[in-house]
């Protein structure tokens, strides 16, 4: 793989590289790691890449890599830049003949996501999106339990993603925070665009249902902040379920508290990213069951996502690596002329990209409306951040 973004001092770029490397079937061979040409090249050398494959910018990288023999050039690019660059980099990569695995959210605007979807119809390249939390084994098992009817008819979905790392104005000084609170680089949302979209994707992935309507209330709690740092969204799903999504980056004392609870008319499940190897299955007619990774019968997707025996904790990096591993298998199938849909290989793709951008823009737009309920809208609109 090649990488765009993720140079020195960047948090998420290093995480992507560790995840990609975990299973030994992906090699980082080139990169354009910064918008500063000198820093980009020095970052590549710091990662021990050959000087000839440390590029000043992504356009230079795509042009040079495309000229290499097919067995030497990169096969796909990992995009780990701030949001405003996701679309131009992905577009350039696809047009140069390279597959794309992008950090979320997919693009800067919903219109860009729709344009990307149109481009993918004719590019014949693969596109994946790193909704990391889909990669946890027990999230896949929870999805299986719901699909096989163990919970009965789904009635209620509660998903929460709370952090505290933007609780004060001084927290904006870090490199990771600076662009997330900047509308010119983050887009119309900070909190919902950064972590709320993960929560929405997780709810849809596990339930197998789509959000069909929302009632949103977003806030910029810290004085002077242009974008939301906290919000609550009431949800309606196309299977009749109701739900609530809570997302906050000013929740003092929280670390990375992503929690999903789904209630059916026969049973419920409860999973927390802070304890990812445990899944609670509860009923009002049977004893509560604690499902632990590595012990018992699991669906094939969950089994494939586990690497080590019970009692050896697997966490965030392994879940991230599962997205990379599945995408690598998808590329291998593509090159062999085999069926290679995102659904077949359990890789979030352009459908989730478009729905994610629609969720972000919808929450901002609906929060500014005096009306209560709004249908989930896949049409772009002119919208700015929190008023």
């Amino acid at each position: 793989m090649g990488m765009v973004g993720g140079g020195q001092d960047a948090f998420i770029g290093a995480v992507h590289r560790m995840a990609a490397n975990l299973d030994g079937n992906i090699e980082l061979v080139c990169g354009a790691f910064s918008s500063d040409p000198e820093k980009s090249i020095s970052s590549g050398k710091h990662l021990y890449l050959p000087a000839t494959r440390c590029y000043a910018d992504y356009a230079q990288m795509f042009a040079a890599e495309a000229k290499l023999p097919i067995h030497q050039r990169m096969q796909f690019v990992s995009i780990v830049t701030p949001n405003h660059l996701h679309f131009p980099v992905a577009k350039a990569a696809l047009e140069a003949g390279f597959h794309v695995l992008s950090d979320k959210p997919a693009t800067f605007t919903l219109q860009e996501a729709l344009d990307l979807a149109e481009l993918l119809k004719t590019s014949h390249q693969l596109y994946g999106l790193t909704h990391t939390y889909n990669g946890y084994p027990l999230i896949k098992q929870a999805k299986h339990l719901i699909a096989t009817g163990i919970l009965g008819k789904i009635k209620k979905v509660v998903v929460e993603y709370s952090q505290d790392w933007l609780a004060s104005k001084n927290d904006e000084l870090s490199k990771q925070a600076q662009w997330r609170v900047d509308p010119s680089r983050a887009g119309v949302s900070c909190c919902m665009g950064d972590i709320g979209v993960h929560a929405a994707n997780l709810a849809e992935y596990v339930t197998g249902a789509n959000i069909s309507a929302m009632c949103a209330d977003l806030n910029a709690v810290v004085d002077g902040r242009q974008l939301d740092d906290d919000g609550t969204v009431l949800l309606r799903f196309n299977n009749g379920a109701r739900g609530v999504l809570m997302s906050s980056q000013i929740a003092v004392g929280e670390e990375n508290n992503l929690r999903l609870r789904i209630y059916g008319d026969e049973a419920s499940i409860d999973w927390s990213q802070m304890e990812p190897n445990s899944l609670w299955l509860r009923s009002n007619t049977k004893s509560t069951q604690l499902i632990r990774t590595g012990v018992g019968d699991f669906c094939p997707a969950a089994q494939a996502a586990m690497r080590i025996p019970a009692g050896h904790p697997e966490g965030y990096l392994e879940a991230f690596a599962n997205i990379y591993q599945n995408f690598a298998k998808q590329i291998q199938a593509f090159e062999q002329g085999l069926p290679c849909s995102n659904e077949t290989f359990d890789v979030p793709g352009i459908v989730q990209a478009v729905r994610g951008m629609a969720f972000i823009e919808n929450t901002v737009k609906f929060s500014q409306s005096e009306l209560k309920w709004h249908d989930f809208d896949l049409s772009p609109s002119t919208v700015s951040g929190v008023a």
Side-chain angles (χ1 to χ4, degrees), residues 135-348:
Y136 279 105
L138 290 182
I139 283 296
K140 298 183 184 301
Q141 185 66 15
K143 180 179 178 68
H144 171 74
L145 293 175
I146 290 173
T148 53
I150 299 298
L151 272 62
K153 182 175 176 59
I154 302 304
K155 299 291 188 179
K156 183 80 171 181
V157 179
V158 181
V159 60
E160 174 188 2
Y161 201 158
S162 298
Q163 304 170 331
D164 71 353
W165 75 293
L166 291 177
S168 75
K169 192 68 176 176
N170 289 337
D171 293 330
E172 297 181 8
L173 300 177
S174 72
K175 178 179 179 179
Q176 286 73 31
Q178 286 175 358
W179 71 262
R180 284 179 169 85
V181 298
D182 177 6
S184 69
R185 291 182 285 174
V188 298
S189 172
C190 173
C191 182
M192 287 297 165
D194 190 24
I195 61 174
V197 69
H198 269 313
N201 172 264
L202 193 67
E204 291 195 334
Y205 176 74
V206 176
T207 63
N210 287 336
I211 297 169
S212 59
M214 302 193 302
C215 173
D217 178 29
L218 306 190
N219 308 286
V221 174
V222 175
D223 289 341
R225 191 165 283 169
Q226 298 180 67
L227 301 177
D228 60 288
D229 51 25
D230 176 81
T232 303
V233 187
L234 299 180
L235 306 170
R236 289 176 178 169
F237 292 83
N238 64 354
N239 64 352
R242 303 295 180 99
V244 58
L245 184 154
M246 297 171 285
S247 186
S248 181
Q249 292 174 309
I250 53 84
V252 173
E254 296 287 5
E255 297 173 355
N256 198 59
N257 184 20
L258 173 61
R259 185 181 180 189
L260 177 67
R261 284 166 285 173
I262 300 175
Y263 303 91
D265 58 9
E266 296 183 19
S268 67
I269 57 113
D270 185 351
W271 177 87
S272 171
Q273 207 261 161
M274 302 288 283
E275 284 285 343
N277 299 309
S278 297
L279 175 69
W280 290 96
L281 177 63
R282 299 186 174 100
S283 168
N284 57 8
T285 60
K286 300 177 182 178
S287 298
T288 295
Q289 181 181 358
L290 173 60
I291 302 171
R292 293 279 294 167
T293 52
V295 178
D297 296 325
F298 291 94
C299 67
Q303 289 177 341
M306 300 179 205
R307 292 175 174 78
I308 49 182
H312 298 76
E314 294 187 84
Y316 177 72
L317 289 177
E318 289 84 354
F320 219 127
N322 286 334
I323 304 293
Y324 269 92
Q325 179 174 236
N326 288 353
F327 192 62
K329 292 177 180 178
Q330 188 181 8
I331 291 174
Q332 290 168 343
F334 173 89
E335 293 187 342
Q336 295 172 32
L338 300 173
C340 58
S341 70
N342 290 78
E343 293 75 20
T344 299
F345 286 88
D346 198 14
V347 176

Side-chain angles (χ1 to χ4, degrees), residues 87 90-91 93-95 98-100 106 112-128 327 342 349-351 353-354:
F87 175 71
K91 181 175 183 292
L94 293 169
E95 290 176 342
F98 299 111
H99 306 299
V100 170
E112 287 183 346
L114 293 170
D115 291 344
L116 189 61
E118 286 299 311
L119 178 58
L120 283 163
K121 291 179 181 179
T122 57
S123 74
H124 305 299
Q125 305 303 309
L126 301 176
Y127 176 85
F327 192 62
N342 290 78
I350 193 61
V351 172
V354 171

Side-chain angles (χ1 to χ4, degrees), residues 11 132 346:
F11 160 70
T132 311
D346 198 14

